[in-house]
Amino acid sequence: MSETPPETPDFDAMTRDIAEVPAVEVIVTVAVNLMSAAAVKLGLTEEGDAHKDLDEARKLVHALAGLLDASTTEISSFHAAPLRDGLKSLQLAFREASLVPDEPGQGPGEKYTGPIYG
């Protein structure tokens, strides 16, 4: 029996593809992926608590806040406003899901956004 070797990724093609993507699109895509992952870890999906993990959610929300803070001057308010709204919703959801809530200003990402009250 002859096994065919697994296909190897075409790194040259991948490099050409990513070179054509504007930086704003990369930033927004990464932010949306962080938001989606955080929502899953907060138990906000249809499966609810099946994947809930507040420690993981904290890391993802904090990373999202840092990315948005760092890219404020790089992306337009057209892109930034809905991402900031989504971040705030995730921060509020985290606060509600926590058995022992963080002090204002100490929740995930609040280092970048300021205190979130809910």
Side-chain angles (χ1 to χ4, degrees), residues 23-90:
V24 170
E25 191 172 324
V26 173
I27 292 167
V28 169
T29 300
V30 170
V32 168
N33 284 329
L34 286 167
M35 291 175 95
S36 298
V40 169
K41 296 297 184 178
L42 283 167
L44 301 176
T45 60
E46 287 181 11
E47 291 134 12
D49 291 346
H51 303 289
K52 190 172 185 177
D53 183 334
L54 293 184
D55 184 52
E56 291 290 303
R58 177 183 293 278
K59 293 171 188 170
L60 292 163
V61 172
H62 189 75
L64 173 62
L67 174 63
L68 294 181
D69 183 59
S71 62
T72 297
T73 59
E74 308 302 326
I75 60 177
S76 67
S77 59
F78 174 79
H79 294 297
L83 294 173
R84 281 193 303 267
D85 290 346
L87 170 60
K88 184 175 181 179
S89 294
L90 290 170

Short mmCIF file of all heavy atoms in Angstrom, two decimals, residues 23-90:
data_model
loop_
_atom_site.label_atom_id
_atom_site.label_comp_id
_atom_site.label_asym_id
_atom_site.label_seq_id
_atom_site.Cartn_x
_atom_site.Cartn_y
_atom_site.Cartn_z
N ALA A 23 -4.08 46.16 7.26
CA ALA A 23 -3.84 45.98 8.69
C ALA A 23 -5.13 46.13 9.50
O ALA A 23 -5.35 45.37 10.45
CB ALA A 23 -2.80 46.98 9.17
N VAL A 24 -5.98 47.06 9.13
CA VAL A 24 -7.24 47.27 9.87
C VAL A 24 -8.07 45.99 9.85
O VAL A 24 -8.65 45.61 10.86
CB VAL A 24 -8.03 48.46 9.28
CG1 VAL A 24 -9.43 48.53 9.85
CG2 VAL A 24 -7.28 49.75 9.53
N GLU A 25 -8.10 45.33 8.71
CA GLU A 25 -8.87 44.09 8.60
C GLU A 25 -8.29 42.99 9.49
O GLU A 25 -9.03 42.24 10.12
CB GLU A 25 -8.93 43.63 7.15
CG GLU A 25 -9.92 42.52 6.91
CD GLU A 25 -10.10 42.21 5.44
OE1 GLU A 25 -10.06 43.12 4.61
OE2 GLU A 25 -10.29 41.01 5.13
N VAL A 26 -6.98 42.92 9.56
CA VAL A 26 -6.33 41.92 10.44
C VAL A 26 -6.67 42.22 11.89
O VAL A 26 -7.05 41.32 12.65
CB VAL A 26 -4.80 41.90 10.22
CG1 VAL A 26 -4.13 40.99 11.24
CG2 VAL A 26 -4.47 41.46 8.81
N ILE A 27 -6.56 43.49 12.30
CA ILE A 27 -6.85 43.87 13.68
C ILE A 27 -8.30 43.55 14.04
O ILE A 27 -8.59 42.97 15.09
CB ILE A 27 -6.55 45.37 13.91
CG1 ILE A 27 -5.04 45.62 13.80
CG2 ILE A 27 -7.09 45.85 15.25
CD1 ILE A 27 -4.66 47.09 13.69
N VAL A 28 -9.23 43.93 13.16
CA VAL A 28 -10.65 43.68 13.42
C VAL A 28 -10.93 42.18 13.48
O VAL A 28 -11.68 41.72 14.36
CB VAL A 28 -11.54 44.39 12.36
CG1 VAL A 28 -12.98 43.94 12.46
CG2 VAL A 28 -11.43 45.90 12.52
N THR A 29 -10.33 41.40 12.59
CA THR A 29 -10.54 39.95 12.59
C THR A 29 -10.04 39.33 13.89
O THR A 29 -10.72 38.50 14.50
CB THR A 29 -9.83 39.31 11.38
OG1 THR A 29 -10.39 39.86 10.19
CG2 THR A 29 -10.00 37.80 11.38
N VAL A 30 -8.86 39.74 14.34
CA VAL A 30 -8.32 39.22 15.59
C VAL A 30 -9.23 39.62 16.76
O VAL A 30 -9.53 38.80 17.63
CB VAL A 30 -6.87 39.71 15.82
CG1 VAL A 30 -6.39 39.39 17.23
CG2 VAL A 30 -5.95 39.10 14.79
N ALA A 31 -9.71 40.86 16.76
CA ALA A 31 -10.61 41.32 17.83
C ALA A 31 -11.89 40.51 17.85
O ALA A 31 -12.36 40.09 18.92
CB ALA A 31 -10.91 42.81 17.65
N VAL A 32 -12.47 40.25 16.69
CA VAL A 32 -13.70 39.48 16.63
C VAL A 32 -13.46 38.04 17.10
O VAL A 32 -14.28 37.47 17.83
CB VAL A 32 -14.31 39.51 15.20
CG1 VAL A 32 -15.42 38.49 15.04
CG2 VAL A 32 -14.81 40.91 14.89
N ASN A 33 -12.31 37.47 16.77
CA ASN A 33 -11.98 36.13 17.24
C ASN A 33 -11.83 36.11 18.76
O ASN A 33 -12.29 35.17 19.43
CB ASN A 33 -10.72 35.60 16.56
CG ASN A 33 -10.97 35.16 15.14
OD1 ASN A 33 -12.06 34.70 14.79
ND2 ASN A 33 -9.97 35.32 14.29
N LEU A 34 -11.18 37.12 19.32
CA LEU A 34 -11.05 37.21 20.78
C LEU A 34 -12.42 37.36 21.44
O LEU A 34 -12.70 36.73 22.46
CB LEU A 34 -10.15 38.39 21.17
CG LEU A 34 -8.66 38.21 20.95
CD1 LEU A 34 -7.93 39.54 21.08
CD2 LEU A 34 -8.09 37.17 21.90
N MET A 35 -13.29 38.17 20.83
CA MET A 35 -14.64 38.36 21.37
C MET A 35 -15.42 37.05 21.35
O MET A 35 -16.09 36.69 22.33
CB MET A 35 -15.40 39.41 20.56
CG MET A 35 -14.89 40.80 20.72
SD MET A 35 -15.75 41.94 19.64
CE MET A 35 -16.97 42.52 20.78
N SER A 36 -15.34 36.34 20.26
CA SER A 36 -16.06 35.07 20.12
C SER A 36 -15.57 34.05 21.13
O SER A 36 -16.37 33.38 21.78
CB SER A 36 -15.91 34.52 18.70
OG SER A 36 -16.45 35.41 17.76
N ALA A 37 -14.26 33.94 21.26
CA ALA A 37 -13.69 32.99 22.22
C ALA A 37 -14.09 33.36 23.65
O ALA A 37 -14.42 32.49 24.46
CB ALA A 37 -12.17 32.94 22.07
N ALA A 38 -14.06 34.65 23.96
CA ALA A 38 -14.45 35.10 25.31
C ALA A 38 -15.91 34.78 25.58
O ALA A 38 -16.27 34.35 26.68
CB ALA A 38 -14.18 36.59 25.46
N ALA A 39 -16.76 34.99 24.59
CA ALA A 39 -18.19 34.69 24.76
C ALA A 39 -18.40 33.21 25.07
O ALA A 39 -19.21 32.85 25.94
CB ALA A 39 -18.97 35.10 23.52
N VAL A 40 -17.67 32.36 24.38
CA VAL A 40 -17.77 30.91 24.63
C VAL A 40 -17.32 30.61 26.06
O VAL A 40 -17.99 29.89 26.80
CB VAL A 40 -16.92 30.11 23.61
CG1 VAL A 40 -16.80 28.65 24.03
CG2 VAL A 40 -17.53 30.22 22.21
N LYS A 41 -16.19 31.18 26.47
CA LYS A 41 -15.65 30.91 27.81
C LYS A 41 -16.51 31.53 28.91
O LYS A 41 -16.45 31.10 30.05
CB LYS A 41 -14.21 31.42 27.92
CG LYS A 41 -13.24 30.71 27.00
CD LYS A 41 -13.13 29.23 27.31
CE LYS A 41 -12.09 28.57 26.44
NZ LYS A 41 -11.93 27.15 26.75
N LEU A 42 -17.33 32.52 28.56
CA LEU A 42 -18.26 33.11 29.53
C LEU A 42 -19.57 32.33 29.59
O LEU A 42 -20.44 32.65 30.40
CB LEU A 42 -18.53 34.58 29.18
CG LEU A 42 -17.42 35.54 29.55
CD1 LEU A 42 -17.64 36.89 28.89
CD2 LEU A 42 -17.32 35.69 31.06
N GLY A 43 -19.72 31.34 28.72
CA GLY A 43 -20.95 30.55 28.71
C GLY A 43 -22.10 31.26 28.01
O GLY A 43 -23.27 30.99 28.31
N LEU A 44 -21.81 32.15 27.07
CA LEU A 44 -22.84 32.94 26.42
C LEU A 44 -23.33 32.33 25.10
O LEU A 44 -24.08 32.96 24.39
CB LEU A 44 -22.32 34.36 26.14
CG LEU A 44 -21.88 35.16 27.37
CD1 LEU A 44 -21.30 36.50 26.95
CD2 LEU A 44 -23.03 35.33 28.34
N THR A 45 -22.92 31.11 24.81
CA THR A 45 -23.35 30.46 23.58
C THR A 45 -24.54 29.55 23.85
O THR A 45 -24.97 29.41 25.00
CB THR A 45 -22.19 29.63 22.98
OG1 THR A 45 -21.81 28.62 23.93
CG2 THR A 45 -21.00 30.51 22.65
N GLU A 46 -25.05 28.93 22.81
CA GLU A 46 -26.19 28.03 22.96
C GLU A 46 -25.90 26.89 23.93
O GLU A 46 -26.79 26.40 24.61
CB GLU A 46 -26.60 27.46 21.60
CG GLU A 46 -27.27 28.46 20.71
CD GLU A 46 -27.68 27.86 19.37
OE1 GLU A 46 -27.63 26.62 19.22
OE2 GLU A 46 -28.04 28.64 18.48
N GLU A 47 -24.64 26.45 23.96
CA GLU A 47 -24.27 25.35 24.85
C GLU A 47 -24.12 25.80 26.30
O GLU A 47 -23.91 24.99 27.19
CB GLU A 47 -22.97 24.70 24.36
CG GLU A 47 -23.14 23.96 23.06
CD GLU A 47 -22.01 24.28 22.10
OE1 GLU A 47 -21.01 24.88 22.50
OE2 GLU A 47 -22.15 23.93 20.92
N GLY A 48 -24.21 27.10 26.53
CA GLY A 48 -24.18 27.63 27.88
C GLY A 48 -22.92 27.28 28.64
O GLY A 48 -21.82 27.58 28.21
N ASP A 49 -23.10 26.63 29.77
CA ASP A 49 -22.00 26.36 30.68
C ASP A 49 -21.06 25.23 30.24
O ASP A 49 -20.08 24.97 30.91
CB ASP A 49 -22.54 26.02 32.07
CG ASP A 49 -23.16 27.24 32.75
OD1 ASP A 49 -22.92 28.36 32.27
OD2 ASP A 49 -23.88 27.07 33.75
N ALA A 50 -21.35 24.59 29.12
CA ALA A 50 -20.53 23.45 28.69
C ALA A 50 -19.05 23.83 28.53
O ALA A 50 -18.17 23.02 28.80
CB ALA A 50 -21.06 22.87 27.38
N HIS A 51 -18.78 25.04 28.11
CA HIS A 51 -17.40 25.47 27.88
C HIS A 51 -17.01 26.64 28.78
O HIS A 51 -15.99 27.29 28.55
CB HIS A 51 -17.21 25.87 26.42
CG HIS A 51 -17.55 24.78 25.46
ND1 HIS A 51 -16.79 23.66 25.31
CD2 HIS A 51 -18.60 24.64 24.62
CE1 HIS A 51 -17.33 22.87 24.42
NE2 HIS A 51 -18.45 23.44 23.98
N LYS A 52 -17.81 26.91 29.78
CA LYS A 52 -17.57 28.07 30.64
C LYS A 52 -16.28 27.90 31.44
O LYS A 52 -16.06 26.87 32.07
CB LYS A 52 -18.75 28.25 31.59
CG LYS A 52 -18.73 29.54 32.37
CD LYS A 52 -20.03 29.72 33.13
CE LYS A 52 -20.10 31.03 33.82
NZ LYS A 52 -21.39 31.22 34.49
N ASP A 53 -15.45 28.92 31.40
CA ASP A 53 -14.19 28.92 32.13
C ASP A 53 -13.81 30.38 32.34
O ASP A 53 -13.27 31.03 31.44
CB ASP A 53 -13.12 28.18 31.32
CG ASP A 53 -11.79 28.06 32.05
OD1 ASP A 53 -11.49 28.91 32.93
OD2 ASP A 53 -11.02 27.13 31.73
N LEU A 54 -14.12 30.90 33.52
CA LEU A 54 -13.91 32.33 33.77
C LEU A 54 -12.45 32.74 33.78
O LEU A 54 -12.12 33.87 33.41
CB LEU A 54 -14.60 32.74 35.07
CG LEU A 54 -16.12 32.67 35.06
CD1 LEU A 54 -16.69 33.19 36.38
CD2 LEU A 54 -16.71 33.45 33.89
N ASP A 55 -11.56 31.83 34.15
CA ASP A 55 -10.14 32.16 34.12
C ASP A 55 -9.69 32.40 32.68
O ASP A 55 -8.99 33.37 32.39
CB ASP A 55 -9.31 31.04 34.77
CG ASP A 55 -7.83 31.40 34.83
OD1 ASP A 55 -7.50 32.49 35.34
OD2 ASP A 55 -7.01 30.58 34.37
N GLU A 56 -10.12 31.53 31.79
CA GLU A 56 -9.80 31.70 30.37
C GLU A 56 -10.49 32.94 29.81
O GLU A 56 -9.90 33.68 29.02
CB GLU A 56 -10.22 30.45 29.59
CG GLU A 56 -9.39 29.22 29.90
CD GLU A 56 -7.97 29.34 29.35
OE1 GLU A 56 -7.82 29.54 28.13
OE2 GLU A 56 -7.02 29.25 30.15
N ALA A 57 -11.73 33.16 30.19
CA ALA A 57 -12.47 34.34 29.72
C ALA A 57 -11.77 35.62 30.14
O ALA A 57 -11.67 36.56 29.35
CB ALA A 57 -13.90 34.31 30.26
N ARG A 58 -11.28 35.65 31.37
CA ARG A 58 -10.56 36.85 31.87
C ARG A 58 -9.37 37.16 30.96
O ARG A 58 -9.16 38.31 30.58
CB ARG A 58 -10.07 36.60 33.30
CG ARG A 58 -9.25 37.75 33.87
CD ARG A 58 -8.72 37.44 35.26
NE ARG A 58 -9.77 37.35 36.23
CZ ARG A 58 -10.33 38.40 36.85
NH1 ARG A 58 -9.93 39.62 36.56
NH2 ARG A 58 -11.27 38.22 37.74
N LYS A 59 -8.61 36.15 30.60
CA LYS A 59 -7.43 36.36 29.74
C LYS A 59 -7.83 36.90 28.37
O LYS A 59 -7.19 37.81 27.84
CB LYS A 59 -6.67 35.04 29.58
CG LYS A 59 -6.04 34.56 30.87
CD LYS A 59 -5.50 33.15 30.72
CE LYS A 59 -5.05 32.62 32.06
NZ LYS A 59 -4.73 31.19 32.02
N LEU A 60 -8.88 36.33 27.81
CA LEU A 60 -9.32 36.75 26.48
C LEU A 60 -9.87 38.17 26.49
O LEU A 60 -9.57 38.97 25.59
CB LEU A 60 -10.37 35.76 25.95
CG LEU A 60 -9.83 34.37 25.64
CD1 LEU A 60 -10.97 33.37 25.53
CD2 LEU A 60 -8.99 34.39 24.36
N VAL A 61 -10.66 38.51 27.49
CA VAL A 61 -11.22 39.86 27.58
C VAL A 61 -10.10 40.87 27.81
O VAL A 61 -10.09 41.95 27.21
CB VAL A 61 -12.30 39.94 28.69
CG1 VAL A 61 -12.73 41.38 28.93
CG2 VAL A 61 -13.50 39.07 28.34
N HIS A 62 -9.15 40.52 28.64
CA HIS A 62 -8.01 41.42 28.90
C HIS A 62 -7.20 41.64 27.61
O HIS A 62 -6.82 42.78 27.30
CB HIS A 62 -7.13 40.84 30.01
CG HIS A 62 -6.09 41.79 30.49
ND1 HIS A 62 -6.37 42.86 31.30
CD2 HIS A 62 -4.76 41.86 30.23
CE1 HIS A 62 -5.26 43.54 31.54
NE2 HIS A 62 -4.27 42.94 30.89
N ALA A 63 -6.96 40.57 26.87
CA ALA A 63 -6.21 40.69 25.61
C ALA A 63 -6.98 41.54 24.60
O ALA A 63 -6.39 42.37 23.90
CB ALA A 63 -5.93 39.30 25.04
N LEU A 64 -8.28 41.35 24.54
CA LEU A 64 -9.11 42.16 23.63
C LEU A 64 -9.03 43.63 24.00
O LEU A 64 -8.85 44.49 23.13
CB LEU A 64 -10.56 41.68 23.68
CG LEU A 64 -11.58 42.51 22.91
CD1 LEU A 64 -11.27 42.52 21.42
CD2 LEU A 64 -12.99 41.98 23.17
N ALA A 65 -9.14 43.94 25.29
CA ALA A 65 -9.06 45.33 25.73
C ALA A 65 -7.70 45.94 25.38
O ALA A 65 -7.62 47.08 24.93
CB ALA A 65 -9.31 45.42 27.24
N GLY A 66 -6.64 45.17 25.58
CA GLY A 66 -5.30 45.65 25.24
C GLY A 66 -5.14 45.91 23.75
O GLY A 66 -4.58 46.93 23.34
N LEU A 67 -5.67 45.00 22.94
CA LEU A 67 -5.60 45.18 21.49
C LEU A 67 -6.36 46.43 21.07
O LEU A 67 -5.87 47.23 20.28
CB LEU A 67 -6.17 43.95 20.77
CG LEU A 67 -6.30 44.06 19.25
CD1 LEU A 67 -4.94 44.22 18.59
CD2 LEU A 67 -7.04 42.85 18.70
N LEU A 68 -7.57 46.59 21.59
CA LEU A 68 -8.37 47.76 21.21
C LEU A 68 -7.72 49.05 21.69
O LEU A 68 -7.74 50.06 20.98
CB LEU A 68 -9.79 47.63 21.74
CG LEU A 68 -10.61 46.50 21.12
CD1 LEU A 68 -12.02 46.47 21.69
CD2 LEU A 68 -10.64 46.60 19.61
N ASP A 69 -7.15 49.03 22.88
CA ASP A 69 -6.47 50.22 23.39
C ASP A 69 -5.27 50.57 22.52
O ASP A 69 -5.08 51.73 22.15
CB ASP A 69 -6.03 49.98 24.84
CG ASP A 69 -5.38 51.21 25.45
OD1 ASP A 69 -6.04 52.26 25.51
OD2 ASP A 69 -4.20 51.10 25.86
N ALA A 70 -4.50 49.56 22.17
CA ALA A 70 -3.29 49.79 21.37
C ALA A 70 -3.61 50.22 19.94
O ALA A 70 -2.82 50.93 19.31
CB ALA A 70 -2.43 48.53 21.34
N SER A 71 -4.76 49.82 19.44
CA SER A 71 -5.08 50.12 18.04
C SER A 71 -6.05 51.28 17.87
O SER A 71 -6.51 51.54 16.76
CB SER A 71 -5.62 48.87 17.36
OG SER A 71 -6.81 48.44 17.98
N THR A 72 -6.34 51.99 18.94
CA THR A 72 -7.30 53.09 18.88
C THR A 72 -7.00 54.08 17.76
O THR A 72 -7.91 54.48 17.03
CB THR A 72 -7.35 53.84 20.23
OG1 THR A 72 -7.80 52.94 21.22
CG2 THR A 72 -8.26 55.04 20.18
N THR A 73 -5.77 54.45 17.62
CA THR A 73 -5.42 55.44 16.59
C THR A 73 -5.23 54.81 15.21
O THR A 73 -5.09 55.53 14.23
CB THR A 73 -4.13 56.19 16.97
OG1 THR A 73 -3.07 55.23 17.11
CG2 THR A 73 -4.30 56.96 18.27
N GLU A 74 -5.26 53.48 15.16
CA GLU A 74 -5.00 52.79 13.90
C GLU A 74 -6.27 52.39 13.15
O GLU A 74 -6.23 52.18 11.94
CB GLU A 74 -4.15 51.54 14.14
CG GLU A 74 -2.88 51.78 14.92
CD GLU A 74 -1.96 52.80 14.28
OE1 GLU A 74 -1.91 52.87 13.03
OE2 GLU A 74 -1.31 53.56 15.02
N ILE A 75 -7.38 52.25 13.87
CA ILE A 75 -8.62 51.86 13.21
C ILE A 75 -9.64 52.98 13.37
O ILE A 75 -9.62 53.71 14.36
CB ILE A 75 -9.18 50.52 13.75
CG1 ILE A 75 -9.49 50.57 15.25
CG2 ILE A 75 -8.21 49.39 13.47
CD1 ILE A 75 -10.11 49.31 15.80
N SER A 76 -10.51 53.12 12.41
CA SER A 76 -11.48 54.20 12.43
C SER A 76 -12.55 53.94 13.49
O SER A 76 -12.74 52.81 13.94
CB SER A 76 -12.15 54.32 11.06
OG SER A 76 -12.94 53.18 10.81
N SER A 77 -13.26 54.98 13.84
CA SER A 77 -14.35 54.82 14.82
C SER A 77 -15.45 53.93 14.24
O SER A 77 -16.18 53.29 14.98
CB SER A 77 -14.92 56.17 15.25
OG SER A 77 -15.41 56.86 14.14
N PHE A 78 -15.54 53.85 12.91
CA PHE A 78 -16.49 52.95 12.27
C PHE A 78 -16.25 51.51 12.71
O PHE A 78 -17.18 50.76 12.96
CB PHE A 78 -16.36 53.07 10.74
CG PHE A 78 -17.19 52.08 9.98
CD1 PHE A 78 -18.55 52.28 9.81
CD2 PHE A 78 -16.61 50.94 9.45
CE1 PHE A 78 -19.33 51.37 9.11
CE2 PHE A 78 -17.38 50.03 8.75
CZ PHE A 78 -18.75 50.23 8.58
N HIS A 79 -14.98 51.13 12.82
CA HIS A 79 -14.62 49.77 13.26
C HIS A 79 -14.53 49.69 14.77
O HIS A 79 -14.91 48.69 15.38
CB HIS A 79 -13.28 49.35 12.66
CG HIS A 79 -13.28 49.18 11.19
ND1 HIS A 79 -14.04 48.25 10.54
CD2 HIS A 79 -12.61 49.86 10.22
CE1 HIS A 79 -13.84 48.34 9.24
NE2 HIS A 79 -12.98 49.32 9.02
N ALA A 80 -14.00 50.74 15.39
CA ALA A 80 -13.71 50.70 16.82
C ALA A 80 -14.96 50.72 17.69
O ALA A 80 -15.02 50.03 18.70
CB ALA A 80 -12.78 51.85 17.20
N ALA A 81 -15.96 51.50 17.33
CA ALA A 81 -17.14 51.67 18.18
C ALA A 81 -17.85 50.34 18.47
O ALA A 81 -18.11 50.02 19.63
CB ALA A 81 -18.10 52.69 17.57
N PRO A 82 -18.17 49.53 17.46
CA PRO A 82 -18.84 48.26 17.78
C PRO A 82 -17.94 47.30 18.56
O PRO A 82 -18.43 46.52 19.39
CB PRO A 82 -19.23 47.67 16.42
CG PRO A 82 -18.56 48.48 15.39
CD PRO A 82 -18.10 49.75 16.02
N LEU A 83 -16.63 47.37 18.33
CA LEU A 83 -15.72 46.51 19.08
C LEU A 83 -15.68 46.93 20.54
O LEU A 83 -15.69 46.08 21.44
CB LEU A 83 -14.32 46.54 18.46
CG LEU A 83 -14.20 45.94 17.06
CD1 LEU A 83 -12.81 46.18 16.50
CD2 LEU A 83 -14.53 44.45 17.07
N ARG A 84 -15.66 48.24 20.79
CA ARG A 84 -15.68 48.72 22.19
C ARG A 84 -16.99 48.35 22.86
O ARG A 84 -17.01 47.98 24.04
CB ARG A 84 -15.46 50.23 22.22
CG ARG A 84 -14.01 50.63 22.06
CD ARG A 84 -13.78 52.10 22.41
NE ARG A 84 -14.61 53.00 21.62
CZ ARG A 84 -14.24 53.57 20.48
NH1 ARG A 84 -13.05 53.35 19.99
NH2 ARG A 84 -15.05 54.38 19.84
N ASP A 85 -18.10 48.44 22.13
CA ASP A 85 -19.40 48.04 22.70
C ASP A 85 -19.39 46.55 23.05
O ASP A 85 -19.88 46.16 24.11
CB ASP A 85 -20.54 48.32 21.71
CG ASP A 85 -20.81 49.81 21.54
OD1 ASP A 85 -20.32 50.62 22.36
OD2 ASP A 85 -21.50 50.16 20.55
N GLY A 86 -18.85 45.74 22.17
CA GLY A 86 -18.76 44.31 22.43
C GLY A 86 -17.88 44.01 23.62
O GLY A 86 -18.21 43.15 24.46
N LEU A 87 -16.77 44.72 23.73
CA LEU A 87 -15.87 44.56 24.87
C LEU A 87 -16.60 44.88 26.17
O LEU A 87 -16.53 44.12 27.14
CB LEU A 87 -14.63 45.43 24.71
CG LEU A 87 -13.72 45.54 25.93
CD1 LEU A 87 -13.17 44.18 26.33
CD2 LEU A 87 -12.59 46.53 25.66
N LYS A 88 -17.31 46.00 26.19
CA LYS A 88 -18.03 46.39 27.40
C LYS A 88 -19.07 45.34 27.77
O LYS A 88 -19.24 45.00 28.95
CB LYS A 88 -18.69 47.75 27.22
CG LYS A 88 -19.36 48.25 28.47
CD LYS A 88 -19.91 49.65 28.31
CE LYS A 88 -20.54 50.10 29.63
NZ LYS A 88 -21.07 51.46 29.52
N SER A 89 -19.76 44.80 26.78
CA SER A 89 -20.75 43.75 27.05
C SER A 89 -20.10 42.52 27.66
O SER A 89 -20.64 41.91 28.58
CB SER A 89 -21.48 43.36 25.75
OG SER A 89 -22.26 44.43 25.28
N LEU A 90 -18.93 42.16 27.14
CA LEU A 90 -18.21 41.00 27.69
C LEU A 90 -17.74 41.29 29.11
O LEU A 90 -17.81 40.41 29.99
CB LEU A 90 -17.02 40.64 26.80
CG LEU A 90 -17.36 40.05 25.43
CD1 LEU A 90 -16.12 39.98 24.56
CD2 LEU A 90 -18.00 38.68 25.59
#
